[in-house]
Structure formats: structure tokens, C-alpha cells
Amino acid sequence: MSLSAYDVIFYLKELTGEKILILERTGLKVTEALERLERFVSKCKKCPLSKTRTNVVFGSGNPLTGFLIVGEAPGQEEDKRGLPFVGRAGKKLDEIMRRAGIRREGVYITNTIKCRPPMNRDPEENELKSCFPYLEKQIEILKPRVIVALGRYASYVLTGKKISVKRERGIVYEYGNSKVVITIHPSRVLKNPEEEENLYNDLVLAKKVYLSGHP
Ligand code: URA
Ligand code: SF4
């Protein structure tokens, strides 16, 4: 199945609410490839987090718009439900996205690490290394125009550098053919509400980068 111009407009409308024409995508293939990968990852035992998780949190959302958001790792609620950003940080993210004119239904969201670290501790180097091939593959399938990296772990795996998010937020990096916008994690905004405008501004920037790629 190839998408008609009508479908394409629809997907962009899903993301931003605006009507602009772009992309040629084969929707069915993307969905199928993603489902196949998800079935595989849901049984993964490559790192010790497989022993403590309830569910693998593979990712969810719209795989066709080319707008990907990458968080850190599932928290308690995400682990319980098998879905990304459905807890407090997720609500905050939804709220800021809405304000930036980006619809949750229009983006695909996943994490750097697919299983919850016990007590939400920071991911360890071996876990980041074991799990990265899955994100890599997701990116290969989704071919995102823009990737928003939330926080230091997503920024680390996507840029290959241990960067200071505080210093480098808002900088646009490249990962393959995708632009990567580095920004702070919504959990940080929950602890430091004065940081909310930074996350908001970076999401506005990501949307601008996304739209500027269109003819
Ligand atoms: N924080 C994350 O980084 N990811 C989630 O899915 C939830 C909270
Ligand atoms: Fe596998 Fe990643 Fe889960 Fe580790 S965190 S068990 S590598 S899916």
C-alpha cells in the first residue's frame, strides 16, 4: 500500500494540525516492520533489566509522520502498562507538546532503554550498549525527519558524546539523515518548573526543523 497525497496531508495534520503536503511513505511496511521488531524485543533477555521488568516498553504512537521522541527509560507506570510516558513525566510532556502545537497522536515515542531500571536508577553503560541496537533499528524503520532527544542518555546514544544537556540543549545534531534536537527531560521539569520554557522552546525548534525540511 502506498500513501495517497490525501493520507500524507492527514499524517502531517495529525502532527501539527496544519495542512502542508510532504512525504511519500509506504505505511503498511513501516507498521509491519515495527511490529516484527516489537515481537522480538518483547522477549529480550540481553541485559539484567530483563529480570526485574514487568513489561518491555517498546514504544508507541504514529510511525508515519517522521517525528520521533526518545526518552530515557520506563518508570513504574510505564513498566506496568508497557507504554512510554504514561506517568507523571508523560503528562508533563503531553502538556508542553500541546502548547508547542505538537500532537501526541502525531509522534512516535520510545526510550533509550526499553526495560525499567529498578527504583528508576540511571541506566548503566552495559544496558545502554545492549539496548541501543533496538533504537537503531527503530530509527532505520521510522526514518524520522526529526528526533527529539529528552535528557542526557538519549542525547548520549544519539550523538555518541557525553554532552551537557544544560549547555547544549537546543543544538541540532545529525544522526544519519535525521536531525536531532537535544533537550531536557520532562522529569527534570517536574523537579525544576523554571526549566519548562526551555523544553517548550526546544520543542518549538524541533517542529520548525521538521517543517523546514518540507518543500
Ligand atoms: N521517563 C522516560 O524517560 N520514559 C518514560 O517512558 C517515562 C518516563
Ligand atoms: Fe533487552 Fe533492552 Fe530490556 Fe536490556 S533493557 S533486556 S537490552 S530490551
Side-chain angles (χ1 to χ4, degrees), residues 42-206:
S42 67
K43 296 188 284 269
C44 178
K45 293 194 166 74
K46 261 203 310 188
C47 88
L49 297 180
S50 63
K51 297 198 189 80
T52 48
R53 74 177 179 228
T54 311
N55 287 297
V56 171
V57 178
F58 178 74
S60 74
N62 191 328
L64 299 173
T65 54
F67 198 106
L68 174 66
I69 297 181
V70 183
E72 184 176 312
Q76 188 176 26
E77 192 65 21
E78 289 80 16
D79 174 63
K80 203 159 70 182
R81 293 177 52 190
L83 291 168
F85 285 102
V86 288
R88 273 184 72 223
K91 294 219 168 58
K92 183 43 87 179
L93 178 63
D94 284 351
E95 183 194 313
I96 304 173
M97 278 172 62
R98 209 173 309 124
R99 212 153 57 76
I102 299 171
R103 306 177 62 216
R104 173 88 182 224
E105 302 90 320
V107 305
Y108 193 87
I109 306 191
T110 187
N111 283 305
T112 306
I113 293 271
K114 313 299 191 208
C115 304
R116 182 191 183 203
M119 311 298 288
N120 299 350
R121 65 154 169 74
D122 288 345
E124 289 172 3
E125 198 66 36
N126 68 314
E127 295 158 359
L128 291 165
K129 210 164 155 201
S130 303
C131 216
F132 184 59
Y134 299 141
L135 179 60
E136 212 174 13
K137 192 80 194 159
Q138 283 174 312
I139 293 171
E140 196 185 310
I141 295 168
L142 296 167
K143 296 186 177 43
R145 186 175 291 258
V146 170
I147 305 173
V148 177
L150 299 174
R152 64 187 163 128
Y153 292 102
S155 305
Y156 172 43
V157 300
L158 291 170
T159 64
K161 294 198 303 175
K162 290 201 168 161
I163 61 176
S164 155
V165 174
K166 201 171 164 185
R167 226 177 306 125
E168 301 202 30
R169 54 154 281 271
I171 294 182
V172 182
Y173 281 84
E174 282 179 9
Y175 177 92
N177 293 322
S178 308
K179 303 277 189 231
V180 179
V181 176
I182 304 295
T183 189
I184 52 174
H185 195 284
S187 301
R188 194 184 165 93
V189 173
L190 289 174
K191 286 185 212 120
N192 307 286
E194 71 281 3
E195 298 246 32
E196 179 161 334
E197 277 323 280
N198 291 337
L199 177 50
Y200 166 79
N201 285 330
D202 297 341
L203 287 175
V204 169
L205 170 69

Side-chain angles (χ1 to χ4, degrees), residues 24-38:
E24 259 307 307
R25 301 295 299 274
T26 48
L28 206 58
K29 278 207 186 118
V30 171
T31 313
E32 273 173 5
L34 213 53
E35 280 172 4
R36 200 166 309 149
L37 180 64
E38 180 166 10

